Amino acid sequence: MQAALAELAGESSEFHGHLLSTTERFNQMTKIEDLRHLRNAITQEVGQLKKFVADKQKKDEANFTRLSKRIDGLRSKLKEAKEKRPSTR
């Protein structure tokens, strides 16, 4: 479970880094005077950003599914352990 959480933290950090660099590239675009060049640059950045967001969503869904299964397994084991434990009453 700790490994999965560490992986999620790493992916989140990577995502934030990508957003920051995309923001910086958009800031640099304010210096472009040729409108066609500007439009092409924006189109390219938006396309890359969409792909990165879609990839992140897929990873998040896979991680959520994996963690949910792991939690269900742990709940099941806890229930079994409680049932096997002798009653203290």
Side-chain angles (χ1 to χ4, degrees):
M1 185 90 75
Q2 288 177 329
L5 291 174
E7 183 181 341
L8 287 174
E11 288 175 4
S12 181
S13 179
E14 177 186 349
F15 183 75
H16 290 278
H18 186 75
L19 287 179
L20 288 175
S21 60
T22 298
T23 301
E24 180 56 34
R25 287 191 300 274
F26 273 113
N27 283 334
Q28 293 298 319
M29 285 180 206
T30 61
K31 298 174 185 174
I32 299 174
E33 293 184 20
D34 180 0
L35 290 180
R36 280 184 282 198
H37 182 67
L38 177 61
R39 185 182 67 203
N40 290 339
I42 290 172
T43 300
Q44 184 178 2
E45 281 298 324
V46 168
Q48 289 176 355
L49 190 56
K50 282 182 179 180
K51 182 186 179 317
F52 195 77
V53 168
D55 290 347
K56 176 76 168 109
Q57 286 175 328
K58 286 178 186 176
K59 286 179 184 179
D60 287 349
E61 289 171 8
N63 286 330
F64 178 78
T65 299
R66 190 175 77 243
L67 287 173
S68 293
K69 287 179 181 179
R70 179 72 176 133
I71 289 169
D72 289 344
L74 290 171
R75 283 184 179 148
S76 178
K77 287 181 181 181
L78 179 61
K79 183 180 176 183
E80 288 175 20
K82 284 180 178 180
E83 289 172 355
K84 289 180 182 178
R85 183 179 62 182
S87 177
T88 57
R89 290 183 187 183

